[in-house]
Amino acid sequence: MLILGLETSCDETGVALFDTERGLIAEALHSQVDLHAVYGGVVPEIASRDHLRRLLPLIRQVLREAGTEKADAIAYTAGPGLTGALMVGGGMANGLGLAWGCPVIPIHHMEGHLVAPMLEENAPTYPFLALLVSGGHTMLVWIEALGAYQVLGCTLDDAVGEAFDKTAKLLGLGYPGGPALALLAESGDEQAWQFPRPMINREGFDFSFSGLKTAVMLKVRESDDLESTRADIAASFQRAVVDTLVARTLKAARHQNADRLVIAGGVGANKLLRSELDQHFPGDVFYPRLRFCTDNGAMIALAGALRLTDGEKPATILATARWALDSLRRPAAIA
Ligand code: KG4
Ligand code: ZN
């Protein structure tokens, strides 16, 4: 069965074709980063219009690459995300579904990120612990099966990607700031300042990043020569974030007796985070390839394929700006 996946929740238009027998067979991505960079962040209206402009040409491109004119099913990101952007993907998916007479499956964006490591040869098996770190979410999730998610902890304020982006902005780096900050940190001294490691000794598995962001802001303000201290601030900030994420993840892993860990979402591309978890997690660590850490159509096509294989039936159109991951159900229960 051939599944077309569409991702339009934020600032990347992602399209992919996943074959349940052969795996991923075609994939295309258009990033809107340049369009939003001048505004220092994502402008929802611009995002929706660009998805509308790009989506159909990208779909044509992947169908052509795969040598086919249609798919057997369509999966699209139905939330969480920017409502207008989600509606572009949802409208396209349901229109094509009508034209092709095939099932259309709404997918939770974070479920897409969760299953993304299964696109790799070395795929995790259930159950596993997942650290989901993106621009909008920071979560520790225990996964028993597709759709059986227990959220152990999440951020009480900023998402970790958001903290990277806001700190990068303070340091005068462009948007999106995460990758630029990580690059700058490579030439800095991570011991230069001891920024707070928020919540590290608190009970439970929640996160908080707004205090850390404020500490960096104060340091930037009191710095007479920001140019010469920027790299040290970036490195010290990144170290504080990574120490916090690693400590909370290891604690959750001990609690769940987890011997498999998945790292997913845009911040999962961070090299320091990967190497620290590789080093300190006692079991096996799984990541998607770098391209599939950030938003893409392949993870949505795969989530659709897994849900269909598990017996899910098509659902009504959804575009949901806020959507709790642990409200999802196993596909057979939805059918
Ligand atoms: O998953 P994603 O593409 O979009 C959302 O669903 O939010 O994640 C984007 C986030 C941005 O905040 C970006 O700055 C961050 O991931 N990011 C990074 C790195 N690459 C992307 N943060 C830290 N280090 C990186 N190498
Ligand atoms: Zn994402």
Side-chain angles (χ1 to χ4, degrees), residues 15-329:
V15 178
L17 274 169
F18 185 89
D19 187 317
T20 45
E21 310 272 289
R22 293 183 291 157
L24 185 66
I25 54 171
E27 185 248 333
L29 186 79
H30 173 75
S31 170
Q32 302 179 352
V33 160
D34 293 345
L35 284 181
H36 301 292
V38 278
Y39 301 99
V42 178
V43 182
E45 181 63 30
I46 294 177
S48 313
R49 274 187 262 156
D50 199 57
H51 285 307
L52 198 53
R53 194 159 38 227
R54 302 286 178 176
L55 193 52
L56 198 50
L58 288 180
I59 294 171
R60 286 211 174 98
Q61 181 185 325
V62 298
L63 289 172
R64 203 167 41 240
E65 264 173 43
T68 180
E69 288 184 350
K70 62 187 279 269
D72 303 311
I74 304 166
Y76 69 98
T77 304
L82 304 169
T83 312
L86 292 167
M87 284 168 68
V88 176
M92 181 67 76
N94 284 277
L96 278 179
L98 189 65
W100 293 346
C102 72
V104 179
I105 307 285
I107 297 295
H108 192 293
H109 180 77
M110 301 313 286
E111 179 169 87
H113 279 303
L114 274 179
V115 299
M118 296 181 190
L119 288 161
E120 308 306 331
E121 228 161 74
N122 178 27
T125 51
Y126 301 113
F128 57 82
L129 176 70
L131 174 67
L132 270 181
V133 275
S134 74
H137 293 84
T138 305
M139 285 187 214
L140 276 163
V141 190
W142 179 247
I143 291 129
E144 296 271 3
L146 183 79
Y149 307 131
Q150 186 190 352
V151 177
L152 303 172
C154 54
T155 181
L156 303 178
D157 39 59
D158 292 348
V160 64
E162 194 180 352
F164 263 98
D165 293 339
K166 287 180 178 169
T167 304
K169 208 170 190 176
L170 283 173
L171 296 176
L173 302 169
Y175 163 85
L181 191 147
L183 191 66
L184 180 64
E186 283 178 18
S187 58
D189 173 9
E190 61 178 31
Q191 304 298 339
W193 289 285
Q194 269 296 106
F195 287 130
R197 271 76 173 144
M199 316 271 293
I200 212 164
N201 296 316
R202 287 267 194 98
E203 268 187 32
F205 307 103
D206 286 335
F207 302 90
S208 161
F209 293 102
S210 65
L212 172 60
K213 186 187 62 193
T214 308
V216 176
M217 190 172 73
L218 294 175
K219 182 58 67 191
V220 168
R221 279 204 193 136
E222 75 189 30
S223 182
D224 302 328
D225 179 13
L226 187 59
E227 200 47 50
S228 69
T229 53
R230 255 169 29 131
D232 291 346
I233 295 176
S236 304
F237 165 82
Q238 179 176 249
R239 171 51 70 181
V241 170
V242 168
D243 281 356
T244 306
L245 291 175
V246 170
R248 298 306 259 180
T249 305
L250 294 180
K251 186 179 169 204
R254 281 192 299 273
H255 183 263
Q256 297 299 126
N257 232 339
D259 45 23
R260 282 175 295 277
L261 172 68
V262 156
I263 307 181
V267 184
N270 187 274
K271 279 193 221 154
L272 183 67
L273 179 63
R274 285 182 173 224
S275 70
E276 288 289 301
L277 282 169
D278 271 340
Q279 209 177 316
H280 297 292
F281 182 73
D284 295 325
V285 186
F286 302 85
Y287 326 88
R289 72 195 80 163
L290 285 181
R291 180 175 172 82
F292 295 157
C293 276
T294 44
D295 295 348
N296 64 85
M299 66 184 194
I300 304 302
L302 173 63
L306 294 173
R307 283 199 164 265
L308 278 163
T309 318
D310 260 14
E312 184 160 327
K313 297 278 179 290
T316 45
I317 302 177
L318 272 177
T320 311
R322 288 174 174 273
W323 191 2
L325 182 65
D326 50 9
S327 70
L328 295 190
R329 293 288 167 266

